[in-house]
Amino acid sequence: MSHQPFRNWQAIQAEVLRRIHAREWPPGHTIPNEADLAREFGCARATVNRALQSLADAGLLERRRKVGTRVALHPVGKATVDIPILRQEIEDRGLRYRYQLISRNVEAAPPHLRTEAAALHITALHWADEMPYVFEDRWIDTETAPDALEQSFDEISANEWLVTTAPYTHGDISFTAQPATGALTTWLNIPDNTPVFVIERTTWDRDAPITAVKLTYAPGYRIHTVIGTGPMAF
Amino acid sequence: MSHQPFRNWQAIQAEVLRRIHAREWPPGHTIPNEADLAREFGCARATVNRALQSLADAGLLERRRKVGTRVALHPVGKATVDIPILRQEIEDRGLRYRYQLISRNVEAAPPHLRTEAAALHITALHWADEMPYVFEDRWIDTETAPDALEQSFDEISANEWLVTTAPYTHGDISFTAQPATGALTTWLNIPDNTPVFVIERTTWDRDAPITAVKLTYAPGYRIHTVIGTGPMAF
DNA sequence: TAGTGGTCTAGACCACCTG
DNA sequence: AGGTGGTCTAGACCACTAG
């Protein structure tokens, strides 16, 4: 049983993947430790570490000090969803982008912003090829992002202005299906109770809220992404 | 201008993040190369590499050989959505799980499976606390996963059986909002045209399709996740 | 306490790209 | 051609944790 040396971490990762798929290492199995694998593969331990770490990030392996590395029983699929600027999202689909500011007011912040400061409340419509694409309902914390008060947002969308002006450290995001109601049906030009895809997102800079936004997409919207284990083992 | 040495890649990452947020390195700025940063931080270049690579993975930096490392102009937010087994998803919410097989037939595969082989067609309902939670409509390629033909799927859901039996190399996934129609309204016990959240997923083993599934969730379903730049810089 | 993964180092070579 | 990131190495020490 002789092995050619594996030269790089991608090759090692591919070999580990092969053994998992071939059931040589079934779910729950504890695989050899890094030092042994390094010897077997004829490479440095750091190289094995890199390969296994990346598989652990992908959820295929579970690693614990002293215990070792196990093949995950229930490999959790992880889908990565990109959150682009709306203009980019539309132009990337080959459509012409247009932005329309609907309203801009300073109001008391809604509770989910968790701030006492006043908030800039903006609603806007983003068009794709002269069709309503997404309705934006946004609150901006005027304490965290005071510069926002000097922006009219009638040419540049708050969406676009914020990403280049007020980078966030973290945030949370939700996807839901909802019935369209009220003014929304007018802006998106759809019947009452039409199913619409809604994204709600709040972002923070450290412990200070920056903005909370509700994006309601016109019918037909679809988020599409891929899942996989790093560089595919084709 | 003296600097204490940064001892680990997380500290270096935090410092880089600080400079980005503090606008010392604004969007589009090309930051010093790895060797210089290593000198400044008093650590090895590999350590700097680890820190910057992880920030590049997160979309905050753009790195290109010869050109250098730039702060991303439009930091693409990336949300990672976990795809658990339905039973786990339900039990994790503290609800009681029940599984009900509705139908199981061998039929010609639908076109999106991209296979000539016959397919096992399964429909099932997953309950949470005796409320319909999600309707599963699944096709399994009988060539890639022939063992599936010997499974009755009346106790163990296809969902659960597949993840421990037929690991995939990659797949694609879509999220949409749709109106409920037909038999769906009966199974989920909802009126016609109720907005429902739909996940469609196809998974592959190398170039062979394994399964295509359409999951239609009962109203109120919400995908929730967080976005952020690795270990938060709090 | 001992075994495992996590990380750092100093140096080296390579791959890719722009000029 | 030369500068940059990408990776590998051999060795070392540390951090965590089961027994």
Side-chain angles (χ1 to χ4, degrees):
Chain A
M1 163 142 156
S2 70
H3 286 293
Q4 59 191 327
F6 289 83
R7 309 205 159 284
N8 52 42
W9 69 267
Q10 291 96 333
I12 293 172
Q13 185 184 68
E15 170 63 11
V16 171
L17 270 177
R18 188 194 65 72
R19 295 185 186 182
I20 293 175
H21 280 104
R23 287 275 180 284
E24 294 174 25
W25 292 342
H29 180 77
T30 298
I31 77 175
N33 67 37
E34 294 188 347
D36 289 346
L37 286 175
R39 249 187 311 276
E40 177 190 340
F41 291 146
C43 68
R45 182 166 79 94
T47 308
V48 174
N49 181 279
R50 173 79 194 253
L52 298 187
Q53 194 125 48
S54 124
L55 287 175
D57 287 345
L60 244 78
L61 296 177
E62 291 168 2
R63 320 191 72 197
R64 288 169 62 199
R65 283 161 152 137
K66 166 77 180 178
V67 175
T69 301
R70 291 190 327 153
V71 179
L73 281 174
H74 299 304
V76 175
K78 293 188 179 177
T80 304
V81 179
D82 285 351
I83 308 164
I85 297 176
L86 289 169
R87 180 164 61 79
Q88 280 188 345
E89 177 176 328
I90 288 170
E91 289 176 349
D92 284 353
R93 299 190 180 206
L95 308 176
R96 192 155 37 88
Y97 175 74
R98 186 159 74 83
Y99 165 74
Q100 174 189 6
L101 177 66
I102 295 174
S103 73
R104 179 192 184 285
N105 300 297
V106 176
E107 305 174 15
H112 59 280
L113 253 190
R114 293 212 290 269
T115 179
E116 300 300 319
L120 187 58
H121 184 198
I122 288 172
T123 61
L125 194 54
H126 302 258
W127 299 72
D129 271 1
E130 299 308 318
M131 300 274 289
Y133 185 81
V134 59
F135 179 84
E136 174 182 2
D137 186 346
R138 181 184 295 273
W139 302 81
I140 303 174
D141 187 295
T142 57
E143 208 164 30
T144 316
D147 294 351
L149 289 170
E150 296 159 16
Q151 283 287 326
S152 66
F153 294 117
D154 49 9
E155 293 290 337
I156 308 257
S157 78
N159 179 292
E160 198 155 348
W161 182 81
L162 279 166
V163 295
T164 52
T165 308
Y168 57 85
T169 56
H170 67 293
D172 67 84
I173 187 166
S174 298
F175 307 99
T176 53
Q178 295 181 15
T181 57
L184 209 55
T185 61
T186 309
W187 294 115
L188 294 181
N189 192 28
I190 52 178
D192 231 44
N193 293 318
T194 305
V196 286
F197 194 93
V198 174
I199 300 179
E200 285 163 297
R201 188 164 75 235
T202 307
T203 53
W204 310 73
D205 182 6
R206 314 291 212 281
D207 55 348
I210 301 173
T211 184
V213 63
K214 176 174 178 175
L215 298 171
T216 306
Y217 286 83
Y221 181 70
R222 167 181 297 261
I223 286 189
H224 184 265
T225 186
V226 294
I227 47 184
T229 314
M232 280 317 96
F234 275 93
Chain B
M1 163 142 153
S2 69
H3 286 292
Q4 58 191 329
F6 289 84
R7 310 204 157 283
N8 52 43
W9 69 266
Q10 291 95 335
I12 292 172
Q13 184 183 68
E15 170 62 11
V16 171
L17 270 178
R18 188 193 65 73
R19 295 186 185 180
I20 292 175
H21 279 103
R23 288 275 179 288
E24 295 175 25
W25 291 343
H29 181 77
T30 299
I31 77 176
N33 68 37
E34 295 188 348
D36 287 347
L37 286 176
R39 249 188 310 277
E40 177 188 343
F41 290 146
C43 67
R45 182 166 78 93
T47 308
V48 173
N49 182 278
R50 173 82 194 252
L52 298 187
Q53 194 124 49
S54 122
L55 287 175
D57 287 346
L60 244 78
L61 296 177
E62 290 168 3
R63 321 191 74 198
R64 289 170 63 200
R65 282 158 154 141
K66 168 74 179 176
V67 175
T69 301
R70 291 190 327 153
V71 179
L73 280 175
H74 300 304
V76 176
K78 293 187 178 175
T80 303
V81 180
D82 286 351
I83 308 163
I85 298 174
L86 289 169
R87 181 164 61 77
Q88 280 188 346
E89 178 176 328
I90 289 170
E91 288 176 348
D92 284 354
R93 300 190 179 205
L95 309 175
R96 192 155 35 87
Y97 175 74
R98 187 160 73 84
Y99 165 75
Q100 175 191 4
L101 178 67
I102 294 174
S103 73
R104 178 192 184 284
N105 300 297
V106 177
E107 306 175 15
H112 59 282
L113 253 190
R114 294 212 288 270
T115 179
E116 300 301 320
L120 186 58
H121 184 196
I122 288 172
T123 60
L125 193 55
H126 302 258
W127 299 71
D129 271 1
E130 298 308 319
M131 301 275 289
Y133 185 80
V134 59
F135 179 84
E136 174 182 2
D137 186 345
R138 182 185 293 273
W139 302 80
I140 303 174
D141 187 294
T142 58
E143 209 164 30
T144 316
D147 294 351
L149 289 170
E150 296 158 17
Q151 282 287 325
S152 67
F153 293 117
D154 50 8
E155 293 292 336
I156 308 255
S157 78
N159 179 293
E160 198 155 348
W161 182 82
L162 279 166
V163 293
T164 53
T165 308
Y168 58 84
T169 56
H170 67 293
D172 67 84
I173 187 166
S174 298
F175 308 99
T176 52
Q178 295 181 14
T181 58
L184 208 55
T185 61
T186 310
W187 294 115
L188 293 180
N189 191 28
I190 54 178
D192 230 45
N193 292 318
T194 306
V196 286
F197 194 93
V198 174
I199 299 180
E200 285 163 297
R201 188 165 75 236
T202 306
T203 53
W204 310 72
D205 183 6
R206 313 290 213 282
D207 54 349
I210 301 173
T211 184
V213 63
K214 176 174 177 175
L215 298 171
T216 306
Y217 285 83
Y221 181 70
R222 167 182 297 260
I223 286 188
H224 184 265
T225 185
V226 294
I227 47 184
T229 313
M232 280 317 96
F234 274 93

